[in-house]
Each structure stands twice: as structure tokens, then as C-alpha cells.
């Protein structure tokens, strides 16, 4: 698969032609995002953005030492002003050709309100703002989660509301009000269900710019955060999940990057508005195998 690496030549104020690279923007400075950026980054300018600048700097250092052209950037994806500042900085370097959103918080990291603000509202905000500026032929992936598949089905009307409600009105929906959210896991599941629906709806808008957007929903992928979870109080739950899945193991970041590379490259030119479940069959086992809840 061949990443998008075509450079654009623009005329400067002095009349001379200058080289302007395509730009990749990664939000969420973690192992998953870095694995994807490495696949697509050759010949492009990469912005690595995170709400903790030290995380962005650490990933940027690793990529820079591997020969990539990288800029660390601080961003709060739940702030429209902050996201717009990131986009403005990136566009000074060239056209945004690839967007990767791997940002988010987990049920054990944050409150119900934080999860909905970052994982649900934040993702919607990113899709909206990057959808305004993504170049013709540009692509994007949103890292969601298998958790979006683990909750009972919503009604068609509820799915439509999650997909199409204007971003600034999303958190006012009845099904997202705090009294209707059981706990942080439920909030996380709702956020990830919404991610898939927003990607479907945004794919229609992005298509008007000749651009594509898809989601990836990983299961347990070995990262520093996952290792903390596996070795923490809920470790038995996670070990049981991958032990009883068809694959019998957790995944690694490069396996997610394999799919992302397809979706972000020309090899995936006919794929948009889709959500790819990559969980070693854990969700299949949850519904039809040994992981089925006893009280179902």
C-alpha cells in the first residue's frame, strides 16, 4: 500500500516556487496513533497533538529519531477554539491530507461527564472541524472501541440522533443526560456507539469534498495503558476476555495499523463511512460464545 506522499508546490510571496508538504494530523499521542502515523508519515509533515504536551513531545521524539518530520502540539479536543488553533497551525505547513484521531479517555480514567465531553463531543467536534479543511482526496480514521458493540441495540431514532444532532446540542440529548447514564462504562459505550454513527453521517459530508472517513473499533490492544489495566484491579476481567476470544490473545498496535493503512491509502478508495471491529473475535464470543454474560 502506498501512502499519500505527493508534495504540493506553491508560489511564495517572492514569486519563487516552494515545496509544501501534505500534512498528517494525529490527535492522541499514544502507541496506536504512532503506529498508524509511522505507516503513513513518510514524506509528509506530521502534527502530533495531545492535551498533555509531554505526551506529544515523547511521541514526536520517537518519530523524529526514526526520520520523520514532526511537530508536537498541545490540544484539548473538547474545545473548539483549541481544535481550530491546531488546524490553523497545521495548514501553515500545507494541506491536511490525513487525519487520525486516537484521543480519548477510558472508563477507569475519567468521570461520566469527562468521557462524554472528550470521547463523544470531542470526536464529533474533530470530525466537523477537519471535515471543513481536509484536502480533496484526503482521508481520516477515528479510533473507537469494541465497547460500542457491547450494549443493547438503540432504536433507529436514537441512532439517528447520535449521528446527526448538531455537535453543540449533542450532550443535551435525553439519552445522554447524566440520570440516564448508569456508570462510566455505560458512558464509554454510548460514546463509542456515537463515534461509529457520527463517522457514517460525516462520510456523506466529507464525500462532497472528495474525502473519506472511517472508524476502527479495537478490542484489547497491548499498549502501556492496557498493560496498566491488565495488571490492575480489573486484570482478571481483561485476561478472561482475550483468553475466551477466538484469537485467544490480545492484539498489538501494528495489527490496528494494518487496517488503518488500508483505509488511509488509495487501496481503500471505495471504503468510507464504515466501522471496522478488530477484537480477535471477543465481541463474537460475547454474544455467541463463552463470554456471554450469565444474566443475559
Amino acid at each position: 500500500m502506498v501512502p499519500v506522499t505527493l508534495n504540493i508546490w506553491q508560489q511564495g510571496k517572492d514569486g519563487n516556487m516552494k515545496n509544501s508538504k501534505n500534512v498528517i494530523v494525529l490527535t492522541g499521542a499514544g502507541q496506536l496513533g504512532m503506529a498508524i502515523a509511522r505507516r503513513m508519515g513518510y514524506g509528509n509533515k506530521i502534527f502530533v497533538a495531545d492535551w498533555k504536551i509531554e505526551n506529544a513531545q515523547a511521541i514526536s521524539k520517537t518519530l523524529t529519531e526514526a526520520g520523520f518530520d514532526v511537530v508536537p502540539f498541545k490540544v484539548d479536543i473538547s474545545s473548539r477554539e483549541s481544535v481550530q488553533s491546531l488546524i490553523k497551525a497545521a495548514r501553515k505547513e500545507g494541506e491536511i491530507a490525513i487525519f487520525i484521531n486516537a484521543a480519548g479517555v477510558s472508563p477507569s480514567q475519567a468521570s461520566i461527564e469527562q468521557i462524554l465531553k472528550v470521547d463523544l463531543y470531542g470526536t464529533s467536534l474533530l470530525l466537523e472541524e477537519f471535515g471543513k479543511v481536509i484536502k480533496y482526496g484526503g482521508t481520516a480514521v477515528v479510533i473507537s472501541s469494541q465497547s460500542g458493540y457491547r450494549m443493547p441495540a438503540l432504536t433507529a431514532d436514537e441512532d439517528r440522533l447520535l449521528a446527526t444532532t448538531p455537535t453543540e446540542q449533542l450532550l443535551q440529548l435525553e439519552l445522554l443526560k447524566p440520570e440516564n447514564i448508569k456508570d462510566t462504562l455505560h458512558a464509554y459505550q454510548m460514546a463509542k456507539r456515537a463515534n461509529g454513527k457520527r463517522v457514517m453521517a460525516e462520510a456523506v459530508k466529507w464525500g462532497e469534498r472528495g474525502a473519506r472517513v472511517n472508524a476502527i473499533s479495537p478490542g484489547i490492544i497491548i499498549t502501556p495503558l492496557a498493560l496498566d489495566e491488565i495488571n490492575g484491579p480489573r486484570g482478571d476481567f481483561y485476561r478472561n476476555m482475550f483468553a475466551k476470544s477466538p484469537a485467544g490473545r490480545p492484539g498489538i498496535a501494528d495489527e490496528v495499523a494494518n487496517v488503518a493503512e488500508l483505509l488511509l491509502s488509495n487501496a481503500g478508495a471505495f471504503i468510507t463511512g464504515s466501522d471496522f471491529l478488530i477484537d480477535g473475535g471477543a465481541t463474537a464470543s460475547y454474544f455467541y460464545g463463552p463470554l456471554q454474560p450469565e444474566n443475559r
Side-chain angles (χ1 to χ4, degrees), residues 33-53:
M34 181 172 68
I36 298 170
R38 287 180 70 101
R39 298 292 181 92
M40 311 306 299
Y42 174 74
N44 299 312
K45 189 86 170 184
I46 306 173
F47 273 71
V48 176
D50 196 276
W51 77 284
K52 288 186 176 180
I53 189 61

Side-chain angles (χ1 to χ4, degrees), residues 32-248:
L32 274 180
M34 181 172 68
I36 298 170
R38 287 180 70 101
R39 298 292 181 92
M40 311 306 299
Y42 174 74
N44 299 312
K45 189 86 170 184
I46 306 173
F47 273 71
V48 176
D50 196 276
W51 77 284
K52 288 186 176 180
I53 189 61
E54 57 267 30
N55 291 347
Q57 290 168 338
I59 294 298
S60 296
K61 181 176 184 292
T62 299
L63 290 171
T64 298
E65 290 175 348
F68 295 96
D69 185 4
V70 191
V71 176
F73 202 92
K74 180 177 174 61
V75 70
D76 175 1
I77 69 167
S78 67
S79 162
R80 191 176 295 273
E81 182 180 5
S82 182
V83 170
Q84 289 173 341
S85 294
L86 168 62
I87 290 173
K88 182 179 179 180
R91 294 185 77 192
K92 288 181 179 178
E93 301 293 335
E95 288 190 281
I96 298 174
I98 293 175
F99 170 57
I100 305 159
N101 178 34
V105 293
S106 75
S108 61
Q109 288 180 317
S111 67
I112 289 173
E113 291 76 16
Q114 288 174 312
I115 291 169
L116 294 178
K117 184 71 171 177
V118 174
D119 289 13
L120 194 154
Y121 171 86
T123 297
S124 177
L125 174 59
L126 288 168
L127 287 170
E128 181 180 311
E129 289 295 333
F130 277 90
K132 297 174 183 177
V133 299
I134 193 78
K135 70 172 290 187
Y136 181 87
T139 54
V141 291
V142 170
I143 301 300
S144 187
S145 169
Q146 65 178 353
S147 288
Y149 291 81
R150 297 292 179 86
M151 58 187 294
L154 299 177
T155 67
D157 284 343
E158 288 172 329
D159 277 339
R160 180 174 291 276
L161 286 171
L162 289 178
T164 63
T165 298
T167 298
E168 296 306 322
Q169 299 174 26
L170 255 177
L171 298 183
Q172 299 168 26
L173 291 176
E174 187 68 24
L175 75 167
L176 296 177
K177 289 184 177 178
E179 61 266 27
N180 293 322
I181 301 294
K182 300 174 185 177
D183 51 30
T184 57
L185 177 58
H186 185 207
Y188 189 74
Q189 290 173 330
M190 288 296 294
K192 299 309 177 180
R193 177 67 63 86
N195 289 170
K197 298 303 176 183
R198 298 304 286 194
V199 163
M200 289 183 71
E202 286 290 336
V204 179
K205 300 175 184 178
W206 284 47
E208 295 173 359
R209 297 179 63 89
R212 299 183 294 107
V213 57
N214 291 286
I216 296 176
S217 291
I220 300 174
I221 305 297
I222 296 299
T223 64
L225 176 60
L227 288 173
D228 286 344
E229 294 282 358
I230 292 170
N231 294 318
R234 301 181 68 198
D236 288 343
F237 168 82
Y238 287 102
R239 285 188 287 271
N240 181 64
M241 184 184 296
F242 60 71
K244 292 182 179 179
S245 69

